[in-house]
Amino acid sequence: MESNFLRFGDFIIVQQEYVGGYVAAQGFTMPRCFLQKQPDESLKYMTNFRNLVFEIQPRLTYDAYKDLKKFEKLRGTSSRKNSMGKGAYSSINGDATGGKLKKKMSTTGEREMLTRLKLLQQRAQSEAELNQRMRAAKAGDYVTYGSELQLMHVDSNSY
């Protein structure tokens, strides 16, 4: 039976009535949202309808992922500017959750950085798994007043 209530996992388009348009995103090419002016009656003739579709998701956490990215950015900057010399940490192969580090292990500071990096990668992996479990647990639940949620752009999987 169809319901008039929103549920986590539903696909929606967001209309702005005052100006007469819809919230859209182009995904990979432009990560920001924008208002696409479009009269109601011409919505069915729109060629880029996929840019308007969002999925309702529960609010997820990104703290560990942000910490990892911040550490990687600082590490990349500090390895070029400090006395460790060029190439102290040359690259990370793979993604943020399971990459391998090419390294030159010569000082205690470098070992501490490697240990910190591995810890942050483990935290980011655990956070990603927790977010997947949260999405699965909330799928199909009603969105109620006060529910914390996010809109995921369906075409790009961006929030």
Side-chain angles (χ1 to χ4, degrees), residues 9 18 24 46 48 64 75 78 81 83-84 89 92 95 128:
Y18 181 73
M46 183 179 283
N48 58 350
R75 179 191 49 83
S78 64
K81 291 183 179 179
S83 62
M84 285 191 277
Y89 292 94
I92 292 180
D95 61 5

Side-chain angles (χ1 to χ4, degrees), residues 1-5 7 142:
M1 182 169 106
E2 283 293 314
S3 173
N4 290 333
F5 300 104
R7 295 176 182 253
Y142 289 110

Side-chain angles (χ1 to χ4, degrees), residues 44-74:
K44 61 185 171 187
Y45 301 112
M46 183 179 283
T47 59
N48 58 350
F49 185 78
R50 291 173 45 169
N51 291 347
L52 308 179
V53 181
F54 293 85
E55 183 178 355
I56 300 174
Q57 293 290 324
R59 182 175 171 257
L60 306 176
T61 60
Y62 301 99
D63 294 332
Y65 177 76
K66 288 177 184 177
D67 289 346
L68 176 62
K69 290 302 172 191
K70 183 178 178 181
F71 179 80
E72 288 175 341
K73 183 177 179 181
L74 291 174

Side-chain angles (χ1 to χ4, degrees), residues 3-4 8 15 20 26 28 34 53-54 56-57 72 77 93 106 125 129 142 157:
S3 173
N4 290 333
F8 289 105
Q15 182 179 18
Q26 291 180 338
F28 301 111
F34 59 94
V53 181
F54 293 85
I56 300 174
Q57 293 290 324
E72 288 175 341
T77 303
N93 295 328
S106 61
Q125 176 66 32
E129 291 168 1
Y142 289 110
N157 288 335

Side-chain angles (χ1 to χ4, degrees), residues 28 35 44 86-87 92-94 106 110 125-126 141 143 155:
F28 301 111
L35 185 68
K44 61 185 171 187
K86 185 178 179 182
I92 292 180
N93 295 328
S106 61
E110 291 171 350
Q125 176 66 32
S126 296
D141 288 356
V143 176
D155 206 23

